[in-house]
Amino acid sequence: MDTKIKHINAYILAGGKSSRMGTDKGLLLFEGKPMIQYVMEQMQPIFDKIVIVSNNLEYEKFGLEVIPDLIKAIGPAGGIYTALNHSDCQLNFIVSCDMPFVTAAAIEFILKNAQENQIVLLENQGKIEPLFGIYSKECEEIWLQLIGQEKVKLQDMVLHFRLKTIPVENNEIFAATFFKNINTKEDFNNVSKLI
């Protein structure tokens, strides 16, 4: 893109210490770089405003605004609420810090499909991918209500909104590794072998 997008904010969910990984995933070195850096580098040519949602102030070293979770200890549902509450834009791109295979082309692909829905997500082999998508500011109030009802599983939460899912099988933009989330040391070791 020639000019950075100003009407869509971007948020990277970096939470904090992962219970399954035993350390902060986004800061974990992957091929010599913190995992979050791969995500940032693909986003920076596209978005004017990128914010990291994390309770770990160490993320400030990357030079982006860092905001803490407003609702802690409920996983990414709290991070998404924090992003929506913070945003001054109608549309918001939200991505997890543990997707080192994210590409600018994939981000641009989903942005082109962002109109007229409250949430736009990719669908990979029948599975919705809630941590790479577009979330409307309109979702904020109902999202908070769902959290209040202890409904914090993303796959279920997104079904309460006008949701558009885009199947990506056979789409050359999305390589087999694209959706590899890294939640455990075993995941990390397996993905490292794919490089």
Side-chain angles (χ1 to χ4, degrees), residues 1-14:
M1 290 189 171
D2 296 331
T3 56
K4 291 188 181 185
I5 293 173
K6 290 185 167 58
H7 67 284
I8 301 178
N9 286 343
Y11 292 85
I12 306 174
L13 304 188

Side-chain angles (χ1 to χ4, degrees), residues 42 46 102-110 112 132 173-174 178:
Q42 298 302 311
I46 299 173
V102 161
T103 63
I107 296 169
E108 290 173 357
F109 173 83
I110 201 166
K112 286 173 186 168
F132 182 94
I173 293 173
F174 300 95
F178 183 87

